Amino acid sequence: MNSKTTFAVVDIETTGTDLAAGNRTIQFSCCLVSDNKIIDTFVTDINPQCEVPNRIVQLTGINNDRLKKAPTFDQVAAKLYGLLSGTVFVAHNVNFDFPFLNAEFQRVGYPELQIEAIDTVTLSQILLPTLASYRLQDLSAYFNIKHDHPHTADSDALATAKLLLILLRQIKELPSITLEQIVNVSPSLPQDTLKVFLDANEVNQKNPRKRELPAYLKLSSGLVIRRREVADNLNVRQPEAKYPKTRKAKSKVLPDQLESRLEQNKMMNLIYNNYADQAHHSAKTMVIEAPTGIGKSLGYCLPFSYLATPKKPVVISTSTTYLQFQLQNQTLPMLNQELPFNVRSVTLKGSRHYLDLYKFRNLLFVPDNSNQTPFIKAQMLVWLTITITGDLDELHLNVDQTPFVWKIQHTGVKWLDPNEPFYQDDFLRYNLRRAEMADFMIVNHTYLIKNWQYFKALPAKPYLLIDETQQFAETAIRNNQEKIKPLSLISAINKILASINQSHGENIRDIVAGNAILGDLTNQLESQLEAIKELVNAIIRTFYDQVVNHKKLHRNVDFFERLIPITEMKDATKANQALIQRLRGLKDHTDDLLVKLNREVDHTSDSFTNQNFMAIYSFFENYNDFNDRLAEMLGIIDVDDHSIEQHVTWITINHAKDVNSLNLNRGILKTEDYLNDHIYSSFEPTTFTGATIFSSRRSQFIYDLLGIDRKKSAVKRLKSDFNPADQARLYLVTGENDGKFATNSDTYLQQTANNIEAIYRKGPRQTLVLFNSLNAIERTYRMLQESGFTANHFVLAQGVHGTATKISKQFVHHEPAILLGANTFWQGVDFPRHLLENLVVAQLPFDTPADPYNHALYSIERSKGKNPFYSITLPKATLRLRQGMGRLLRTRDDFGTIFILDPRLLTKRYGSIVLANLRNEIPIVRGDINECIADMVKFFESKA
């Protein structure tokens, strides 16, 4: 393939994707590309001689009346066959279009096309590895390709042709070394797509000058990577600048495309004035509820730009990596365009978010059993020419399902050897050096909670802003919950011991046989692990005798559980203290041994093959897994009395009371003590913000959860600049059987399934249905399946079709669709504009009171003379409901409807409390499902 090759860029529209089910082509379009330009186009409708399904008509705009006038496939087959013969076939998802067309040709008596075929989806995924979506319309938007009519063959083919020209140009611009390495890892690509890289590499081999790298790239120990600024040169600090207090003054430093908003201006001044003149007034803890749409991110970034310096930075803690990305790559760069100084920022994440270049290079050409691995390696080779940070999140990989990525994740700076080849270019070191020079450090809540010591050690107390406050409190609770099955720890030790001595495949002992130092370290490590295993077994046996044996256990369906009283937990910890201290000593010794072993491997790396490195890294990976599990167990059983009083501990065990089935669990009870002792004390008084913070104006719930003094805090609830009365409708659905059935009963869920169908049939729109459990989702989906609804409509169910992340991507890429979700879908997703138009609340988001952790919390509330339902459960559910409803209106252009199917808002006494505290300005309609749907239809007609 070269510039003289004729590429036939094809798109077809069909009645469905399954040829065996009798589906047919309804439109064919082709753009011929040669000599780096589009030279000809052809498009025709095709009569499929069958009815076109309604969803295809909606998707393409091609209806049955129009197709009756079109030629049949056998009437245009000769023209199409001649057009495509002698070309290279190109499509966006070639494994659909090419086989489908060939099957159509065979159906009318033509042989299959014997031509090469390439795919622009996988070419885009390799050459543009950091994009979140590879849909044609998203790629078109990214490259500013005009694509007016997605899902029509002529528009799709033209957009794909323009995309192909861009991709071919990008392949030519790849560094020769990178291109050659892509060819050598040999990713499995559809049809003949790999040949594009093979042919480009062959051209490079004949042209030695192509091996010269552009100035922005460098060759580092065999890998081409992006050059980066030396971190020491980043410390260029702004001169003193006067903070713009008025809206008029702010308009001069805000980007032209952003209007100055009244509520946003209030937020900016509140933050600046709180910290700016501490010589005359002390800063206070601040809580600012800033509704979606007022420009919250800019509302705190601008004032902190005038406050923060590298010696006294601001730490911005967010709930999601998306918000981190938005701040680092959109909000702050936009501010830097207009500010009279430059703000330096860095995103900090846990070490495993970063690529270890040394591991990647050593494993680059080592084959494994996954077809996915060579493809990911090819993506990473291109990514290395782009990335500054080495943050694996940039690749949008599902790391949990990508074993190769586990092997190349960074494990922390303590494992680095200054003598190893990539030490100077190490991504984690680079980001930590940048942090020393940054005005803004952007982290997520988990990083803040796990790395508070890093911030406490800074020379001056930094500022702290916590965004998505409600999720911060929940993250603090979640990160202080440990669960360990001791048997899994024993299994992890056995796995390491097996990798040292295994008889099948490579073992560590054979690999290091020629090196006396490594051999001795391996022997010591083996001895220490055997001792640890013996100690763990002894500790667990003792612990079992003290808190399980002869104790009264609560019987659940699948297991027994027991909440361990605080005094009993203290006694058990003291009784095991000698064994625990020996275990800690052994753990520290094995850590030291592994560091020494790692460094010796680095020093003698030339004596190992790539296959050896695969075994060595698997060994290290197994050790890290063991180390994590041991740390989890020690976090539960090796704690002081104060920590025991702050936490609740419980066990679960099977009905046979087998010690090997024992699970130890621990959760924090007093978040306020933990947060004050570890987080808040490391910073200036904290600013909390979020779109949904308060469950009601008078409730103490959020203050208790965050551990802040209401009387000493400055609190502000800003007003939304949305127009909810015009943008949305809220339907409280009534029914004859309201209150008769529990919301997790089959009868109620069947009614829910019926209502979902009824709502969707009256106008298929992007619909999110929120549940309180995955079990309820699975049962409802099964009911939709049994009715035949899922056969004709695209329905995604969390837990049935995959993780929240996976089905969110599918939901965005299929319109219209229905998504059944729980947990994170109440608060952790963003589907703006047409990506969400109907929100259905199937169940109110109440916590399960039987959960041992909640049971302990409620006991504490009762001891204070409070009703835990009203002091904890109801406020938390109200907040979640507010957050769930907030999924609908994300911008001022959004519109849609909310259906609350759960009857408890209308039938229970607490329903009126929830409704009163929703801070809802959306017009409410009460009625049965048919009345509500009729009003929904009118609402959407008014928006047409």
Side-chain angles (χ1 to χ4, degrees), residues 46-47 49 71-79 104 107-108 110:
I46 297 172
N47 185 344
Q49 299 177 291
T72 60
F73 191 87
D74 58 342
Q75 291 172 329
V76 295
K79 169 75 175 174
E104 287 276 47
R107 182 175 62 83
V108 297
Y110 283 79

Side-chain angles (χ1 to χ4, degrees), residues 81-137:
Y81 202 87
L83 182 71
L84 298 174
S85 295
T87 66
V88 173
F89 189 98
V90 183
H92 202 68
N93 189 8
V94 74
N95 275 346
F96 171 71
D97 297 74
F98 193 53
F100 201 104
L101 265 181
N102 265 331
E104 287 276 47
F105 281 128
Q106 287 183 303
R107 182 175 62 83
V108 297
Y110 283 79
E112 284 190 355
L113 285 163
Q114 299 297 317
I115 56 176
E116 292 176 342
I118 62 175
D119 179 47
T120 52
V121 174
T122 43
L123 281 178
S124 300
Q125 288 171 328
I126 290 175
L127 296 169
L128 308 163
T130 60
L131 296 190
S133 167
Y134 297 93
R135 288 194 309 172
L136 184 57
Q137 62 199 80

